[in-house]
């Protein structure tokens, strides 16, 4: 009867170290964002690189435009106790090879699901504007999964 206890102990220790590591928001997330409205199926590839300290979240977004160029924006926001995240694009992150200025800044409302097998971010983005109920305000959906790291 001692054998099951011996086998159970290493398994429990392995889980104790593996589970907390997956609950972090930090890292690269990739997937898509829709454009053309909430119900649109038109997708653009997207990546978020996020770091967090306490409830503060910072990062950078990368959106592949239809012409092949990449729009890069710095992000700041907060993660709340219910694992929801609010992010706002704060600065254009262009350089000598990337001078694509955005037409507008986005605000993101995201839910973080730190699932052990399928961690993902799912939510919505909308054009940041003074008038929230403008009929032509741009908005869409997004879904991102954690980028797999080689060797892990």
């Amino acid at each position: 009867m001692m054998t099951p206890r011996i086998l159970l102990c290493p398994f429990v220790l392995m889980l104790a170290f593996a589970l907390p590591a997956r609950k972090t928001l930090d890292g690269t997330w990739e997937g898509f964002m829709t454009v053309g409205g909430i119900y649109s199926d038109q997708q653009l590839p997207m990546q978020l690189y996020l770091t967090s300290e306490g409830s503060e979240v910072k990062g950078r977004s990368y959106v592949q435009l239809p012409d092949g160029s990449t729009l890069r924006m710095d992000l700041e926001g907060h993660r709340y106790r219910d694992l929801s995240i609010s992010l706002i694009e704060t600065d254009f992150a262009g350089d000598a090879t990337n001078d694509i200025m955005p037409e507008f800044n986005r605000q993101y409302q995201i839910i973080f699901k730190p699932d052990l097998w399928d961690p993902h971010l799912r939510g919505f983005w909308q054009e940041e504007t003074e008038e929230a109920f403008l009929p032509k305000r741009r908005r869409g959906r997004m879904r991102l999964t954690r980028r797999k790291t080689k060797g892990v």
Side-chain angles (χ1 to χ4, degrees), residues 88-100:
I88 295 175
E89 293 179 336
T90 57
D91 293 310
F92 170 63
D95 56 32
T97 62
N98 181 15
D99 58 354
I100 309 228

Side-chain angles (χ1 to χ4, degrees), residues 34-38 125-127 132 134-135 137-141:
T34 63
V35 292
I38 296 289
W125 66 267
Q126 65 184 354
E127 177 180 1
L134 283 175
R137 181 190 60 180
R138 292 171 269 202
R139 53 194 174 173
R141 295 173 284 123

Side-chain angles (χ1 to χ4, degrees), residues 32-43:
F32 67 88
M33 66 185 296
T34 63
V35 292
I38 296 289
Y39 304 107
S40 173
D41 289 328
Q42 183 182 358
Q43 299 178 357

Side-chain angles (χ1 to χ4, degrees), residues 67-101:
D67 65 2
S69 58
T70 302
L71 177 63
R72 297 181 292 214
M73 297 292 288
D74 288 333
L75 305 167
E76 289 184 4
H78 295 281
R79 181 179 59 194
Y80 302 96
R81 290 185 180 190
D82 64 355
L83 298 181
S84 64
I85 304 163
S86 174
L87 294 171
I88 295 175
E89 293 179 336
T90 57
D91 293 310
F92 170 63
D95 56 32
T97 62
N98 181 15
D99 58 354
I100 309 228
M101 286 294 291

